[in-house]
Amino acid sequence: MRTLIKNGMIVTTESEFEGDILVEGEKIKAIGENLNESAEEVVNAEGLVVLPGGVDEHTHFNFSFKSATTRGWETSNAAIAGGTTTVVDFCNQEIGKGMIESVNNYLQKIAPMAMCDYSLHGVVFDPSDKLFEEIPSIPEIGVPTIKLFMAYKGMPYHCDDSAVFKALLAAKDAGVTIMVHAENADMIDVLQKLCLQKGQVDPIYHAVSRPPVVEDECTTRAIYLAKAAGAPIFIVHVTSRGAMEAIRNAYNEGMPVFGETCTHYLVLDTECLAKPNFEGAKYVCSPALRSKEHRDALWEAIKKGWLKAVSSDHCGFDWSKQKHLGKGDFTSIPNGAPGLQDRLQVLWTEGVAKGKISRQRFVDLWATAPAKINGLFPRKGILSVGSDADIVLLDPNEKGIITNANSYHQTDYNTYEGMEYMGAPKKVYLRGKLVYDNGKLLIKEGQGKFVPGEPFGLCYRGA
Ligand code: URP
Ligand code: ZN
Ligand code: ZN
């Protein structure tokens, strides 16, 4: 099957021009102006922006926080509806089991359900010696990235400095990228207890007990651990000016230190947590939402490339049942919020349409850089000959309001409810197949494929 997409504004990280894309089977066969090619299907993309399918490198399907678990792969059509054709999901190590066994078990579970292409990060839940011995062989199963949580004292997945240091040492010769959630767990633990002792139980105290300094300190410490290990490091969901500057400065001094931020940290703020009637719980995520000063710093960082990617950190918890587990004790509110479907519209509207970032910068943050970080490039994340034909046709003039009624994540709220958008995906192609057409999802369960990541990604190569 050949499809010819004609006269769209094709955007890559380095160029934009009005032209055509020829798709043959699952791949891009040709790109150029006025392609004179025959095709079974010719699509007029005049007035539309042609983007690579999104790569969301930070999602949590089936993630448990105390007794609550996020919605799983049955909701992965939310990715396609939002123009994301590949997600890199966090696969939690099963306690008592190795990472390789855990990943293989998870892959079996995902395969019949996935509605977008996918790759995985391993998440350390059991930092035993066996795990550190296993890290160098993890790329053999197509997983070149491992995340450690430095933030959640008392949780099974919390890792202390020695675990992070050992992981960095084990990873570096194998090209495995160590990713960390950097917040000082001890400071948070003390601050949480102080709040609760004073009867400060509402969602806003989530932010009070996780001030920016806990992120600044831990990010700086993680960078020192990486320096001592002689390994690259990637800091996930950066939210504070101090953390961002620590990453930028280390990189400028020649260290392989990189980071991402997430959509919600760019557009929402701490005030959301103060919403009445427990509405604030919808916005409980870690690190916590910040003030305008930090948001402005994050916009500057993504514009200038000091932070490499914008992810969703998607967590499909619902509000009425799961978030309410923390009513009367903010420390029991499940951390995380949905956002997979909304990443394109939020970043395009607030970034491109409002003139904060260029279209080319958007493409890098949205698809190209995350594909490189996770060893998926150039198969994913770029419109180029030989790459998978993952393509979004976006109407930059379509306006509307984000609402949960149009969301596929199957929770009872949308983090961006009521936000006006400017720009919407009209058609989405996954490996050459039309899977979303003008509001209609055409994807079926099991159609998504596993895409193995290669080791020695962007954090090792530097670009
Ligand atoms: O609040 C968040 N971000 N929840 C998901 C787990 C994590 O820390 O990334
Ligand atoms: Zn995290
Ligand atoms: Zn996360």
Side-chain angles (χ1 to χ4, degrees):
M1 166 85 178
R2 281 158 64 102
T3 304
L4 184 60
I5 299 168
K6 285 209 68 78
N7 301 323
M9 178 56 64
I10 298 170
V11 187
T12 74
T13 56
E14 272 129 37
S15 66
E16 43 191 280
F17 61 97
E18 207 175 286
D20 310 337
I21 297 187
L22 177 68
V23 174
E24 190 173 86
E26 297 199 334
K27 301 284 181 189
I28 295 177
K29 176 87 175 161
I31 304 186
E33 288 171 26
N34 302 314
L35 290 182
N36 193 12
E37 298 276 357
S38 61
E40 283 91 331
E41 182 88 37
V42 178
V43 180
N44 179 11
E46 219 177 302
L48 302 179
V49 179
V50 186
L51 302 167
V55 178
D56 190 341
E57 64 170 358
H58 193 147
T59 64
H60 297 275
F61 291 124
N62 307 112
F63 171 72
S64 294
F65 181 97
K66 298 191 178 172
S67 62
T69 301
T70 58
R71 299 305 303 249
W73 288 86
E74 72 283 1
T75 64
S76 53
N77 50 0
I80 297 296
T84 290
T85 44
T86 306
V87 301
V88 191
D89 195 46
F90 286 95
C91 168
N92 306 323
Q93 178 192 12
E94 295 173 56
I95 294 183
K97 293 196 179 148
M99 191 65 84
I100 292 178
E101 188 182 355
S102 306
V103 168
N104 284 331
N105 290 345
Y106 195 48
L107 284 173
Q108 277 189 12
K109 183 171 164 174
I110 297 171
M113 302 169 90
M115 289 181 270
C116 58
D117 281 0
Y118 53 98
S119 202
L120 297 175
H121 313 282
V123 181
V124 176
F125 264 60
D126 191 357
S128 61
D129 285 346
K130 211 165 146 255
L131 173 83
F132 302 119
E133 283 161 23
E134 208 185 7
I135 285 179
S137 0
I138 283 170
E140 289 166 21
I141 53 161
V143 176
T145 48
I146 302 267
K147 175 176 176 181
L148 294 94
F149 286 103
M150 300 173 79
Y152 295 105
K153 193 168 170 163
M155 296 294 234
Y157 37 84
H158 175 69
C159 290
D160 61 15
D161 288 358
S162 88
V164 174
F165 191 48
K166 283 185 198 169
L168 287 159
L169 288 170
K172 63 178 184 175
D173 291 334
V176 172
T177 299
I178 295 298
M179 303 182 148
V180 291
H181 174 144
E183 287 185 287
N184 184 309
D186 288 301
M187 283 198 229
I188 293 168
D189 186 54
V190 172
L191 291 171
Q192 284 180 334
K193 285 178 178 146
L194 282 173
C195 285
L196 294 178
Q197 273 165 23
K198 289 188 248 170
Q200 297 171 333
V201 296
D202 293 334
I204 186 66
Y205 294 102
H206 176 73
V208 172
S209 61
R210 303 180 99 94
V213 65
V214 305
E215 188 183 343
D216 302 350
E217 185 281 329
C218 193
T219 301
T220 307
R221 179 157 37 95
I223 293 169
Y224 274 110
L225 292 170
K227 186 177 181 182
I233 194 161
F234 187 86
I235 316 291
V236 296
H237 49 43
V238 174
T239 76
S240 71
R241 175 185 282 280
M244 179 277 284
E245 288 177 350
I247 294 164
R248 180 196 66 192
N249 295 347
Y251 180 82
N252 286 344
E253 284 163 24
M255 278 181 264
V257 174
F258 301 89
E260 60 163 18
T261 189
C262 305
T263 341
H264 41 297
Y265 298 117
L266 292 165
V267 299
L268 302 176
D269 63 31
T270 322
E271 286 307 301
C272 294
L273 290 154
K275 287 193 180 183
N277 304 321
F278 206 57
E279 292 267 334
K282 294 177 177 175
Y283 307 93
V284 166
C285 57
S286 293
L289 295 175
R290 303 290 184 215
S291 64
K292 185 173 183 311
E293 185 222 328
H294 296 278
R295 281 206 323 269
D296 290 347
L298 295 177
W299 278 109
E300 187 184 10
I302 61 167
K303 181 177 176 171
K304 298 197 170 146
W306 301 334
L307 294 175
K308 296 285 168 211
V310 176
S311 310
S312 68
D313 201 355
H314 177 79
C315 286
F317 289 119
D318 75 31
W319 176 67
S320 56
K321 291 193 195 77
Q322 294 176 309
K323 291 280 186 179
H324 272 75
L325 293 168
K327 190 131 176 65
D329 173 3
F330 69 89
T331 66
S332 291
I333 300 170
N335 281 207
L340 173 58
Q341 186 175 331
D342 310 299
R343 189 173 65 109
L344 183 151
Q345 288 190 310
V346 174
L347 188 60
W348 184 274
T349 304
E350 297 296 320
V352 180
K354 296 196 177 168
K356 293 197 192 81
I357 55 171
S358 68
R359 298 197 280 209
Q360 292 171 34
R361 198 66 211 113
F362 172 90
V363 165
D364 204 26
L365 296 159
W366 151 257
T368 310
K372 289 180 178 173
I373 290 160
N374 296 286
L376 305 173
F377 185 85
R379 180 168 168 192
K380 299 289 186 188
I382 183 171
L383 296 173
S384 76
V385 174
S387 297
D388 280 1
D390 299 338
I391 302 170
V392 176
L393 304 188
L394 175 117
D395 180 351
N397 297 316
E398 186 177 314
K399 286 185 186 167
I401 305 277
I402 294 180
T403 167
N404 202 44
N406 297 335
S407 303
Y408 290 91
H409 52 234
Q410 295 184 35
T411 75
D412 58 1
Y413 77 101
N414 187 303
T415 315
Y416 307 98
E417 187 73 37
M419 187 180 281
E420 280 180 30
Y421 65 78
M422 172 89 175
K426 303 308 288 175
K427 288 184 191 289
V428 179
Y429 294 85
L430 174 65
R431 281 178 281 103
K433 277 213 166 62
L434 183 63
V435 287
Y436 179 82
D437 192 11
N438 264 308
K440 223 165 140 196
L441 269 172
L442 307 170
I443 186 88
K444 291 196 185 67
E445 288 202 340
Q447 215 173 307
K449 273 194 189 157
F450 176 56
V451 189
E454 299 278 342
F456 296 102
L458 179 146
C459 300
Y460 284 83
R461 295 173 193 203

